[in-house]
Amino acid sequence: MKKSVLLCFFTLFSLFCSAKDMFRVHETILVEMTDEVSSHKTRLTVNDMLAVKLPDNPLFLRGLSLEIKIPKSVTEYRDAVAFSIYTDMQPEPSQNTIDYSGNKLHLDTFPGKLSYNLQIPLIHNHGLKETPYSALLPYIVDIAEGYVYFRLQLVMKGTPVSVLEAVFDIEVKPIIIDKGLLDLSMQYPDPAASQQIPAIKAGEAEPAVPDTPVLEKKDYTVFIDEKQAQLNNGKILLSSGIHHVAVVSDFYRSEVRTVKVEQGYVSKVQIQLHDNDPLLYVSIPKSVSLFFNDIQLIDFEKPYKITEGEHVLKFMLDDYEIVKVIQAFKGRNYTASLLFDVIIREE
C-alpha cells in the first residue's frame, strides 16, 4: 500500500517537473572543476544541494559521473530519500544561499544498495549508455548552464533520525571524449638571421646596402597522418594516441614531427620553419677577398641567402686566385671555406 502511494506521488510530481520550483536547502555544497580530468570528493546530508561548477569553455567534457556511497540507514528505508537534478537555477549558488528556484529535470530514489553511479550527459551525441553498474540520466544538462545541480531531499514521513543525519559520500568524476587537442604553433624564420647578397646599382662602384629584412608569413599546408588537416587557429581535436605531423610548403623546408596526443589534454607542439632558399656560409681568413658572381662579400657573421642555380665564387689572396662553381638547390646549405696547407719535401 505504501509503495503504491509513493508511486502515485512521484507520478503526480512528474507532471510538474517542468514548472519552476521554489525550495530551501539545509546547505549548498560547491565543487569547482578547474580542469576536465580531475575528480572531486565531497559529502552531503539529506536536504543538501551539490552545485558542480563546470570548467570554462570545456573542450573534452561530455558528462559527469556521480559515484555515490549510500548510507546503510538509507538503504534500510528504501524510497525515503530522493535525488533531483535541476536546471535554470536562481540565484547563482553560493555557500551562504539556501533559497533557490529552478526547473526540476529529473527526480528518482536510490536503489536498495550501498552504492549508486549516476551518469549525467552534458552534450548531444554523448555516446553514454546505461549499464548494470551505472544509471544514465535520460535528459541532457546543457553544458552552457555552467553548473550541474544535484539535490537530496526526504520524501517519506516517519523516518528515523539516522536517515536525516545520514552522510552521502560523493565523488564527482568528469567523463571526457576519447580525444585530445593538438595545439600547433609555427615559428617563422627570423629575417635577421641571414642576409641578402648586395646588389650593385647602376652607376655605383660599391654594392648597395640591402634594405632591412621584413618578416613575411608565407603559406604552408599541414598534414596529419598523411591527410590534409583543417586547423582552427592552429588547433585540432585528435583521437588519443600517436600522430604524424608534416608541414609542407613551397617557401619553407618540409618539417615532420611525431606527437603523442593524450585523452583530455592539450598537446602543444612548436615547429620552427626554415626558409627554402639556399644558404651560403663563409669561413675564410680576413686577408682573403671573396667575390660571389663578381660581387664582393665582406660581412661573414651571417649566412647569405642565395638563389637556385649556378654561382661562381672567386677567392683572392694577393696574386693568388681560386675560382669555384657551385650548383645551388632549394633547401640546401653551402659552406665556403679556404684551407691552406704547407708541403715539405725532403730530397
Side-chain angles (χ1 to χ4, degrees):
M1 180 65 180
K2 183 179 293 186
K3 183 70 173 179
S4 299
V5 172
L6 283 172
L7 288 174
C8 181
F9 168 78
F10 286 122
T11 300
L12 291 174
F13 206 96
S14 63
L15 296 176
F16 300 95
C17 280
S18 60
K20 202 82 167 180
D21 277 2
M22 300 184 65
F23 59 90
R24 172 171 291 184
V25 298
H26 175 260
E27 186 177 359
T28 301
I29 309 297
L30 289 175
V31 167
E32 182 174 0
M33 297 177 62
T34 56
D35 57 54
E36 299 181 57
V37 295
S38 301
S39 60
H40 302 266
K41 293 183 179 181
T42 188
R43 313 186 89 187
L44 268 71
T45 58
V46 177
N47 295 323
D48 286 346
M49 184 177 72
L50 170 65
V52 180
K53 188 178 187 306
L54 303 176
D56 296 330
N57 304 315
L59 296 171
F60 317 107
L61 201 60
R62 60 171 173 159
L64 287 185
S65 170
L66 301 184
E67 293 190 359
I68 306 166
K69 292 183 178 179
I70 304 172
K72 184 178 179 181
S73 57
V74 175
T75 61
E76 293 173 349
Y77 284 84
R78 186 176 177 179
D79 301 322
V81 177
F83 66 87
S84 305
I85 304 294
Y86 283 87
T87 61
D88 301 319
M89 193 73 77
Q90 295 293 332
E92 186 168 327
S94 70
Q95 292 181 338
N96 299 322
T97 304
I98 59 174
D99 292 312
Y100 295 95
S101 65
N103 293 327
K104 189 187 298 291
L105 188 65
H106 184 71
L107 174 70
D108 205 348
T109 56
F110 293 105
K113 53 184 181 180
L114 295 175
S115 63
Y116 184 73
N117 178 265
L118 177 65
Q119 298 182 94
I120 303 174
L122 298 175
I123 60 173
H124 293 281
N125 302 318
H126 49 77
L128 300 177
K129 296 181 180 180
E130 190 158 336
T131 71
Y133 308 100
S134 61
L136 178 63
L137 186 72
Y139 307 98
I140 295 175
V141 177
D142 190 349
I143 204 167
E145 285 264 337
Y147 285 89
V148 171
Y149 302 97
F150 176 85
R151 177 192 175 198
L152 294 177
Q153 59 190 116
L154 191 68
V155 292
M156 181 186 293
K157 293 183 177 181
T159 54
V161 176
S162 59
V163 174
L164 292 173
E165 296 178 348
V167 176
F168 291 74
D169 289 303
I170 300 179
E171 185 171 5
V172 181
K173 292 184 175 181
I175 305 175
I176 58 178
I177 59 177
D178 188 21
K179 291 185 177 182
L181 185 74
L182 176 63
D183 186 356
L184 195 62
S185 62
M186 300 296 179
Q187 293 296 310
Y188 288 90
D190 182 3
S194 60
Q195 55 185 324
Q196 301 287 340
I197 298 292
I200 299 178
K201 294 184 178 180
E204 293 184 352
E206 296 294 330
V209 178
D211 297 331
T212 302
V214 179
L215 174 63
E216 295 183 45
K217 295 183 178 181
K218 300 175 183 178
D219 292 335
Y220 59 84
T221 304
V222 177
F223 291 86
I224 298 179
D225 300 330
E226 300 183 354
K227 295 181 180 179
Q228 186 172 344
Q230 299 297 327
L231 282 72
N232 182 14
N233 293 324
K235 300 178 178 62
I236 185 172
L237 281 173
L238 297 174
S239 58
S240 55
I242 302 297
H243 295 274
H244 302 283
V245 179
V247 181
V248 179
S249 173
D250 291 333
F251 310 100
Y252 303 111
R253 302 183 189 186
S254 297
E255 303 288 343
V256 179
R257 300 289 188 277
T258 298
V259 299
K260 182 179 180 181
V261 175
E262 297 185 60
Q263 182 185 15
Y265 285 92
V266 178
S267 300
K268 293 188 176 183
V269 176
Q270 187 178 86
I271 295 180
Q272 175 67 57
L273 297 175
H274 298 86
D275 280 322
N276 211 15
D277 296 317
L279 292 178
L280 174 65
Y281 291 82
V282 179
S283 176
I284 59 175
K286 293 181 179 181
S287 56
V288 176
S289 299
L290 172 61
F291 293 85
F292 179 90
N293 295 339
D294 294 329
I295 299 175
Q296 186 173 4
L297 304 183
I298 299 174
D299 182 7
F300 304 135
E301 291 187 2
K302 301 177 183 178
Y304 285 95
K305 187 180 293 186
I306 62 178
T307 59
E308 284 188 283
E310 186 176 278
H311 302 283
V312 178
L313 300 180
K314 183 167 63 175
F315 301 83
M316 298 185 65
L317 177 60
D318 295 334
D319 295 332
Y320 293 93
E321 180 180 302
I322 300 176
V323 177
K324 295 290 184 180
V325 177
I326 63 170
Q327 190 72 31
F329 297 94
K330 278 189 175 182
R332 299 293 184 89
N333 293 340
Y334 301 88
T335 300
S337 59
L338 189 62
L339 301 178
F340 288 92
D341 196 3
V342 175
I343 300 175
I344 301 176
R345 289 186 294 184
E346 181 181 354
E347 298 181 356

